[in-house]
Amino acid sequence: MEIVTQKHFLVYKITNKTNGKTYIGCHKTEDVNDKYMGSGKIIKRAISKNGIENFNKEILFDFDNSVEMFAKEKQLIETLEPEYNLHEGGSGGFEYLNRNGLNTSQKRLDSMKRVGLRRSAEAKKRYAL
């Protein structure tokens, strides 16, 4: 007997109980109660800082396809203007960050390399025999 699992295309809202700030997100899953709390950089930081127990997740919509899910997420972000979202919704992740120059990890790595090279040269001069 084959087990058939249904995909859920969820749009949800996460609310910080301590300050009322919100995040609107979407997520494809087979388990509506999978404890997923978003992939946004800012919401992840907020959860890490304040503790997961200070956040409430509410499923707003459950669609059967990603087109409707992304459209609703975008509409809600435009309407509600949640504080923890980086952009208008409907797409995102690393592609959005890279396309808009918001991914600073490579910039930070390049800077660290420059500082390391400069310090290495200074150290060589200081300790040269």
Side-chain angles (χ1 to χ4, degrees):
M1 177 178 205
E2 182 181 332
I3 297 175
V4 178
T5 56
Q6 179 180 347
K7 296 281 187 204
H8 297 271
F9 295 85
L10 306 174
V11 177
Y12 57 89
K13 178 170 79 171
I14 297 174
T15 304
N16 183 328
K17 296 176 193 176
T18 62
N19 62 21
K21 291 183 179 182
T22 59
Y23 174 82
I24 300 293
C26 60
H27 176 56
K28 181 178 101 174
T29 184
E30 293 175 2
D31 178 8
V32 175
N33 300 308
D34 65 3
K35 308 286 187 222
Y36 180 76
M37 293 296 281
S39 61
K41 191 174 190 174
I42 298 173
I43 189 66
K44 282 184 161 186
R45 279 191 197 148
I47 291 171
S48 178
K49 177 183 174 184
N50 298 291
I52 191 95
E53 67 278 1
N54 289 307
F55 289 83
N56 181 54
K57 180 180 174 184
E58 175 185 2
I59 303 297
L60 303 175
F61 297 93
D62 186 348
F63 296 105
D64 61 3
N65 64 76
S66 63
V67 173
E68 290 180 281
M69 175 187 71
F70 286 128
K72 182 53 80 174
E73 179 200 26
K74 184 173 182 169
Q75 180 218 354
L76 289 173
I77 290 172
E78 289 172 354
T79 304
L80 301 175
E81 299 180 356
E83 297 83 359
Y84 290 131
N85 287 79
L86 280 174
H87 65 98
E88 71 279 355
S91 63
F94 290 110
E95 180 184 326
Y96 175 82
L97 294 173
N98 290 332
R99 184 175 60 243
N100 292 285
L102 299 172
N103 188 355
T104 59
S105 59
Q106 186 60 48
K107 292 177 190 174
R108 190 177 303 122
L109 185 61
D110 292 344
S111 174
M112 289 170 61
K113 286 179 183 175
R114 284 193 302 278
V115 169
L117 291 173
R118 186 176 68 241
R119 287 185 180 161
S120 293
E122 291 170 0
K124 286 177 187 174
K125 288 179 189 175
R126 196 174 313 136
Y127 300 110
L129 297 175

